[in-house]
């Protein structure tokens, strides 16, 4: 019983999976933020070009 409990405490695979999940979510948030900012700038550029064509 004690041996299996020590084995359970030494197992870090769950913690590693959580860390990878947190890293993946941080990367996703960064990509979404960058795409949103780029999309806003691109929209403003196309609006300015459209206004200058009229």
């Amino acid at each position: 019983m004690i041996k299996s409990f020590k084995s359970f405490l030494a197992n870090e695979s769950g913690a590693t999976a959580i860390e990878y999940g947190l890293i993946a979510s941080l990367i996703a948030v960064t990509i979404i933020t960058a795409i949103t900012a780029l999309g806003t700038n691109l929209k403003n550029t196309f609006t300015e070009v459209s206004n200058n064509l009229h």
Side-chain angles (χ1 to χ4, degrees):
M1 177 76 172
I2 293 175
K3 186 176 181 180
S4 64
F5 185 69
K6 285 182 182 181
S7 173
F8 175 75
L9 290 178
N11 187 358
E12 295 181 1
S13 62
T16 303
I18 291 172
E19 289 171 357
Y20 283 136
L22 289 173
I23 291 170
S25 63
L26 179 63
I27 291 171
V29 167
T30 303
I31 290 171
I32 290 169
T33 303
I35 289 174
T36 302
L38 179 65
T40 302
N41 289 338
L42 196 58
K43 178 184 174 196
N44 291 339
T45 301
F46 280 120
T47 302
E48 184 178 337
V49 169
S50 175
N51 289 339
N52 288 333
L53 289 176
H54 289 160

